[in-house]
Amino acid sequence: LMEAKYDHVYDLMEYHRLSSGISPSSSSASTASANNNDAGYYTADGYLDVDQDGIPDSEEYSSGGTTAMDDVNDHLARHWFNFGKSPYLTFLFYQTLFVLCAALFVYIEPVSGGSGIPDIKCYLNGIDVPRIVEFKTLVCRVMGVTFSVAAGLPVGKEGPMVHSGGVVAAVISQGRTKFWGVDTSFSKFSDFRNDREKRDFVACGAAAGIASAFGAPIGGVLLSLEEGASYWSTNLTWRAFFCAMITLGTLFVVRNQDSKWGQANVEKLFSLGEFTSIGGGSSNFSVWELLLFILIGCLGGLIGACFNAGSEHLTIWRMKHINHSKKRRVLEVLAISMLVTTVSFVMPLLWGRCTELPTDMQDWTNQEKELVANLVPFNCVPGKEYNEVASLYLCEADVAIRQLFHFRETGETDSSTFSSAALFLFFIPYTTLACIVYGIAVPAGLFVPSLLAGAAFGRLFGHLLHKLDHTSGTFADSGTYALMGSAAVLGGMARMTISLTVILLEATGNMQYVLPLMMTLMAARFTGNAFNEGIYDINIHLKHIPFLEPEVPTIAERHEIVAGQVMSTEVKCLRPVERVGIVYDLLKSVGHGNFPIVDTASSGTLYGTASRSMLCTLLQRRAFGQPHDVNNGQHHSSTDGGVDYAELLGPKRLSPLVQWDTIERVYPRYPKIDDVQLRPGDRNCWLDLRPYANTAPYTINETASIQRTYRLFRTLGLRFLCVVNHTNQVVGIITRVDLLPES
Amino acid sequence: LMEAKYDHVYDLMEYHRLSSGISPSSSSASTASANNNDAGYYTADGYLDVDQDGIPDSEEYSSGGTTAMDDVNDHLARHWFNFGKSPYLTFLFYQTLFVLCAALFVYIEPVSGGSGIPDIKCYLNGIDVPRIVEFKTLVCRVMGVTFSVAAGLPVGKEGPMVHSGGVVAAVISQGRTKFWGVDTSFSKFSDFRNDREKRDFVACGAAAGIASAFGAPIGGVLLSLEEGASYWSTNLTWRAFFCAMITLGTLFVVRNQDSKWGQANVEKLFSLGEFTSIGGGSSNFSVWELLLFILIGCLGGLIGACFNAGSEHLTIWRMKHINHSKKRRVLEVLAISMLVTTVSFVMPLLWGRCTELPTDMQDWTNQEKELVANLVPFNCVPGKEYNEVASLYLCEADVAIRQLFHFRETGETDSSTFSSAALFLFFIPYTTLACIVYGIAVPAGLFVPSLLAGAAFGRLFGHLLHKLDHTSGTFADSGTYALMGSAAVLGGMARMTISLTVILLEATGNMQYVLPLMMTLMAARFTGNAFNEGIYDINIHLKHIPFLEPEVPTIAERHEIVAGQVMSTEVKCLRPVERVGIVYDLLKSVGHGNFPIVDTASSGTLYGTASRSMLCTLLQRRAFGQPHDVNNGQHHSSTDGGVDYAELLGPKRLSPLVQWDTIERVYPRYPKIDDVQLRPGDRNCWLDLRPYANTAPYTINETASIQRTYRLFRTLGLRFLCVVNHTNQVVGIITRVDLLPES
Ligand SMILES: Nc1ncnc2c1ncn2[C@@H]1O[C@H](COP(=O)(O)OP(=O)(O)OP(=O)(O)O)[C@@H](O)[C@H]1O
Ligand SMILES: Nc1ncnc2c1ncn2[C@@H]1O[C@H](COP(=O)(O)OP(=O)(O)OP(=O)(O)O)[C@@H](O)[C@H]1O
Ligand SMILES: [Mg+2]
Ligand SMILES: [Mg+2]
């Protein structure tokens, strides 16, 4: 029964869960240790004592403040408040150190830089990006993102988390890795050792990644779906759902360790803080404000489009001037990190005003009290005053988002917590910095920075509205506007709709925002799409990756192109029984991944296909017969031009057969053609491809329309397609690159 | 640009939205008028004065009680409380009347009976169920469901609503209908007049249906996705999302008509009532209760499996004994309706106890106060007491669900509102009735009845737990358990996971239940699947519809079947230029939908395919040439056996060409072969199929594995597939029925 096979899947998912559970927590643990090393410097300043993983983890929390380092802290605290420029230098020193570490990991494994979401998107699209799902990449990415977040750069951990989740899943599904030296493959995992299953695991892992990053299981599934929908199936839906559920369950249990037998703490469920309803039975916004939300969405789409355009130009510039040398990339990271540090110090200094902490907090919720505790007393009296701009720049991004979302607006002017000017002084430079940082050689997510920028923008928008009409009730509170701003800016950059709606709903825990969020995100998507593509698509296109869009490119559609017009016509083919020398030379001379096998006996009819990896394996394992095996009795070995040995051999097979298992077992590390050593006499031997050929490849007629070809490629996730004519003769071959709009 | 095409889509969706907006409201309006006709009987009893659509619509509300009929009411009220059996008879009379009306509509259009979700599921799977997406079906279903819900049967309006949404979308996308007599087709809709686009519209419409039934836009999109995922694409995702958003937006604005400029009313957002957090910062359940929720899930799965098994046996029995005669079907409806009425009267009588209404409601929310007002004073003092069992049976299902979810448990025994015995006396008979009713000839959804049964079950479970430990805090409140019970039972019947999670979250508005709901639904699905299939799949299989499951059937997979083993070998083929007589006879003699065209010149190579609808159109439009056209100069018209006229003709076309447009324009009402009248001399004419043939059909090699064939079918949504050998000769044909596990 199928249950047996499913059981394997469940087992895997259990492992999977564990690792997903471990992956974020190891990430957070290492961040925590990084913090602890420097607890002297950080907790003393009072602005980095929440651990970097955004999880208000009580153990870490309690261990943070009251260690033996307290006297060091004291010393440093004095140091800090007394010696002018010194804290800046200290800060700069540690940031640089951390950034260097992050850059080091990217130096070791270059594909671990950047956001990770484009990589996963390509992988799910069916593109074999080299080294993207390997254990080494995973380690480098997890360590790298830990350091880059710890360094206080405007980067998020979500993209890398999605990538890590995917890699964890892939590594587990393969049941082994080269990294540990030993072959840990279990026999029962062999079912999963093919591209298709591995892709499913990666999709599930990505969902689990979002589930653990935002506590958003359904949003994670939807993100996997929206970004990698080409091979979606019902089965995959609930597998991903299951993974995400287990991940969230693990997180929930871990976070509620202390209150396992009592009521669970709601605050720990929602990673961006719960939005509570303000009036008892009425919602936080009024019906006509939906129009305002749409307006915010449009503005956010505009901001996102600007961001994307800026980022595109920067990336092009980087590709020209920096990316070719690893040294330059590291230097760039250093320079930009210093810029970031300087800006986050100079801005609060420029602001230079101290605001008093709210004193009357009787009826405030725990969440709000905690936020107050996190305000940064930059050059002000700690415990009494805070610097508004510093609180935004120097807090961790998660905390800053929560402050913008949930900080109560006391007083009558309605903008007392963070004044409009402070928001402005934060929004513009921060967005610019985020744009510059995105793309440097550290692992860097985009979700959190754009949420933060958007929150500032939204709150600013709210303030302006409140200027129009003081009385609360006319307009929703600024927190609601901050949420909409977040959605708008993130949606304007990434152009996702349904998944972002659900992620934000799950992260803020208030269902009444479903309609406003949907409208904002839709508006942002439309506005943004009027100008350019989403940031991830821009990245993919700049890298010239043959990514297949869900729909046929319009140019192709308009010109009524048929398959015969886009195919490559000079097809390199093989015969069913072929000379080893010819095969070897072919593999050496061209880099194609697949070769049609044509039946020369019947004027080039398609017999099947052979993949490069299979041919290499066959050559390496010497699965070929000696010339005399064939010529037994016929004696015309020299006239192999026109003679068809397949016919001469008939049903007889050419000696040392390689088991199909043997070929599959080495997945995905097939030998390269350069690894193959031919002995002197080998070139004249015969390679019988008939037992190994894929005899029923997908084919398409040369008169088929481009739409049909595209659909076949896209829905089946093909790598190549043989083009045949009416009599099944191979007339061409189409791969992904032939289907791209440019060609 | 693509925008131009998109614009059309938007336009359509706007129409779409309007109709979706209209569809439910017309439904509710007609229910309301049905109520008003009999307002005397209903509002007097005090238990049917909330209109049937579950929307506490203030206009209808106010018009309900204070009409000129008040004195009639008074009269009847006295009647009611004084003359023993008479109210039962009155009630019975009206129920029977309503049920008869509902049955009448199904009598007119048989496919409008049942749930509607299986139909939509089949349609999205690519099956052409006759008359399923026509305007007449829509009207009959909307009217039918109005009456069947008004009759108080244990049926829901969600399945029919999903179906209606789909039909509205389909009808609009076609831009016209035969029903109105006039051809309303707009030229700009012609892009959408094909199966694929129509399917997308149906999917969007189904999403909008759920969005309006439960106020669950994202859940609607996910339901469309989970149930009809075969052709899912990113584009479709956001189209469906957009539709659902517009639908919800319309509903939101309409429901908040009175408070447009103030805060919107939260209560109107959540169709099953909002769950408010009980403790300030803590969740309504504790961590270890997740295990209890999983247990509920398992029990719910068991109940669902029993329900499905019972329903399956009943359906088989019905198919044998009842379904063949329309009269019997109506009689069955009558009998069952009387049974339902009797049970809902006898049970409260059996209970016969009066419970006092809660008096101290100072700190209760509006929602709770409203629920108290809806309790039924069956044989008790109205305004002071109520009958627990009657309140469950005789309230409308939506209200009963809300009562079970949200009714506060006052007093120390913790089960004072609805006692365990009352719940028990409701749960068992109601579930049985729902099982019997599902499948009779009225439009009947399953969502609401199973939610109600599940809520009773869950609350019962909660009571039992509270018996173990009185102190609140150890166990969650019974309302939470009722919610989990609902999820479990519905999940156990329908076996959906992610979409039900989101629908329930959106309907109850509290995000903290995301993890418990996920776990419950997962457990229910697993447990249920261990016994049988989901109720919708059972229905589909019993009807012998060639539904393609997402995965290859295991039997086929185990036996390593290849395409050549499942295909039909005696393929009926046509030649590129064929005698009209031969084509006519072929179409008359076999019912197949598609015919390969083989090139007899080159020993049966596949040239293309022709569909029955195209052939019929060609014949009807007389697109054939006279014999002498062909024989010009050759004079061997009698020896057409071996001669290939295609070769003789060369590039010359045979006269009256039919424009491709002409063939497409009649979609989807192609002429039948019986509509075609051949004139005496026609049989010898020639039909040139070459301009019309689909020259690049999808083909598969006879050695391809069944998995590959299945995937091709399923992912591309094919209706047939030509099987060819290595030289492209047609050796067989595969349709959906050949791929079913039975064959
Ligand atoms: N066997 C072949 N004979 C001739 N041309 C080929 C063959 N295979 C691929 N091509 C062509 O070579 C060009 C390069 O294609 P591409 O690099 O995508 O092929 P590939 O390496 O086989 O694919 P992939 O990189 O996905 O493994 C394309 O235009 C493609 O049509
Ligand atoms: N042109 C044909 N020649 C011979 N057999 C056919 C042909 N088309 C279909 N069949 C076979 O007839 C049987 C009945 O198939 P089915 O009713 O599904 O075909 P259909 O009517 O063409 O499809 P549909 O009902 O989806 O339009 C199947 O076993 C199928 O393989
Ligand atoms: Mg290549
Ligand atoms: Mg048929």
Side-chain angles (χ1 to χ4, degrees), chain B residues 16-32:
Chain B
H16 192 184
R17 162 184 73 80
L18 289 177
S19 321
S20 297
I22 288 163
S23 160
S25 38
S26 77
S27 164
S28 65
S30 43
T31 330

Side-chain angles (χ1 to χ4, degrees), chain A residues 478-535:
Chain A
S478 315
T480 298
Y481 279 102
L483 175 63
M484 295 306 142
S486 287
V489 171
L490 181 49
M493 285 176 195
R495 310 287 156 79
M496 303 171 201
T497 51
I498 189 165
S499 49
L500 283 189
T501 310
V502 178
I503 289 175
L504 286 175
L505 280 178
E506 286 181 305
T508 58
N510 194 335
M511 250 314 165
Q512 61 173 263
Y513 288 122
V514 61
L515 190 60
L517 280 177
M518 283 172 108
M519 294 195 154
T520 311
L521 283 165
M522 252 321 173
R525 182 197 159 96
F526 282 144
T527 317
N529 275 352
F531 298 99
N532 49 24
E533 294 179 283
I535 184 94

